[in-house]
Amino acid sequence: MAQLSVEEKREVLKTHFLLQHLRDWDLELLARHSRQVEVRAGETIFRKLDEGDSMYVVVSGRVVICSHSSDGREVVFNIINPGEVFGEIAFLDGRERTADARVLENATCIVLDRRHFLPFMEDHPKLVLELLLILCERVRSTTVHIEDTAFLEFRSRLAKKLVGFGQHYGRAVEQGSRIELALSQTELGSMLQATRESVNRQMRRWVKKGIIEVDKKSITLVDMDRLKAIADDAD
């Protein structure tokens, strides 16, 4: 993507619920202090324990928030979509990053540096409340993830994740809801505390039963009601 002008950055920032209450001249000043970065799929924007002095707004593409064990195993916490922010925890407290940010699909991001943004928060206390809402949503999502891992069988966790993907990323097609997301079965397994082999095996079972269809670039949810029943552990 070509470099955005100050006016274009301002309009991007204006669409985000965190910043929509700012006046135009405030947004323009913030845009002037922002940076635009282009990152290719597979590259890492920052790593856990890096200095946290900036927050990112995704303009296009998708970013995975993840962490790795000492032996190289990965756990995926979240997928950040266009219009969403990430890096807000270290941005707020000025401490090290709590996870890695890896680009899932070629991404354009606007970077807001802490030293420029904090004065806006002091002058606009509603921004603090909006950031707290984001943090609360992250905590809720983490709590649900922990509960699902503890209480649901793997196939129910996988079904619930596919249903969620369908609701967020799905595109209606004749066969059902098609998910075109550049997420490997290994990455999907890491979101569910499972192996790639387990994901592959269960999805092949569902393909045989006509519940889903799978190709190299997409997953089509053919029988959403059946998947919801499995997700609720009622099938």
Side-chain angles (χ1 to χ4, degrees), residues 176-216:
S177 178
R178 178 171 295 164
I179 306 164
E180 295 176 345
L181 188 62
L183 193 70
S184 69
Q185 290 188 355
T186 299
E187 291 167 327
L188 182 55
S190 73
M191 298 185 78
L192 302 168
Q193 302 296 291
T195 64
R196 182 196 65 79
E197 291 77 15
S198 297
V199 172
N200 182 268
R201 187 162 50 246
Q202 184 59 65
M203 291 180 70
R204 282 192 282 110
R205 292 192 185 111
W206 288 341
V207 168
K208 289 181 179 179
K209 293 181 179 180
I211 298 175
I212 65 174
E213 293 179 359
V214 178
D215 60 34
K216 291 183 178 180

Side-chain angles (χ1 to χ4, degrees), residues 120-136:
F120 281 89
M121 293 178 63
E122 294 173 356
D123 294 336
H124 301 83
K126 191 165 186 178
L127 288 178
V128 180
L129 295 177
E130 299 287 3
L131 274 174
L132 285 175
L133 288 177
I134 293 175
L135 291 173
C136 288

Side-chain angles (χ1 to χ4, degrees), residues 8-163:
E8 289 171 326
K9 289 181 182 178
R10 182 190 65 197
E11 291 306 307
V12 169
L13 296 174
K14 189 175 183 177
T15 62
H16 194 276
F17 80 91
L18 178 65
L19 306 172
Q20 63 185 357
H21 304 294
L22 291 178
R23 294 165 292 188
D24 282 348
W25 69 273
D26 280 333
L27 284 167
E28 183 166 341
L29 184 58
L30 197 59
R32 289 184 182 278
H33 286 301
S34 69
R35 296 177 284 117
Q36 179 180 337
V37 296
E38 307 283 338
V39 195
R40 297 185 64 82
E43 294 182 355
T44 298
I45 297 176
F46 57 71
R47 298 186 184 280
K48 184 177 181 179
L49 301 183
D50 283 353
E51 180 182 356
D53 57 359
S54 56
M55 180 172 65
Y56 295 74
V57 181
V58 179
V59 179
S60 63
R62 291 190 174 95
V63 176
V64 170
I65 306 302
C66 56
S67 187
H68 297 85
S69 66
S70 58
D71 61 0
R73 288 177 297 165
E74 180 183 78
V75 57
V76 175
F77 299 122
N78 203 1
I79 297 177
I80 309 299
N81 300 295
E84 298 179 346
V85 302
F86 65 96
E88 73 284 349
I89 295 177
F91 171 81
L92 284 173
D93 64 16
R95 299 174 64 184
E96 65 274 4
R97 299 292 185 185
T98 59
D100 297 354
R102 176 171 52 78
V103 177
L104 184 63
E105 300 170 1
N106 292 349
T108 298
C109 299
I110 293 177
V111 187
L112 301 173
D113 291 321
R114 191 171 189 266
R115 68 181 185 276
H116 295 137
F117 194 76
L118 287 183
F120 281 89
M121 293 178 63
E122 294 173 356
D123 294 336
H124 301 83
K126 191 165 186 178
L127 288 178
V128 180
L129 295 177
E130 299 287 3
L131 274 174
L132 285 175
L133 288 177
I134 293 175
L135 291 173
C136 288
E137 181 59 32
R138 300 278 198 257
V139 172
R140 288 179 183 274
S141 177
T142 300
T143 300
V144 170
H145 177 75
I146 293 172
E147 288 180 345
D148 288 349
T149 301
F151 301 137
L152 293 181
E153 293 183 356
F154 166 69
R155 74 183 199 122
S156 295
R157 300 202 308 273
L158 178 56
K160 185 174 182 179
K161 183 61 65 176
L162 291 179
V163 169

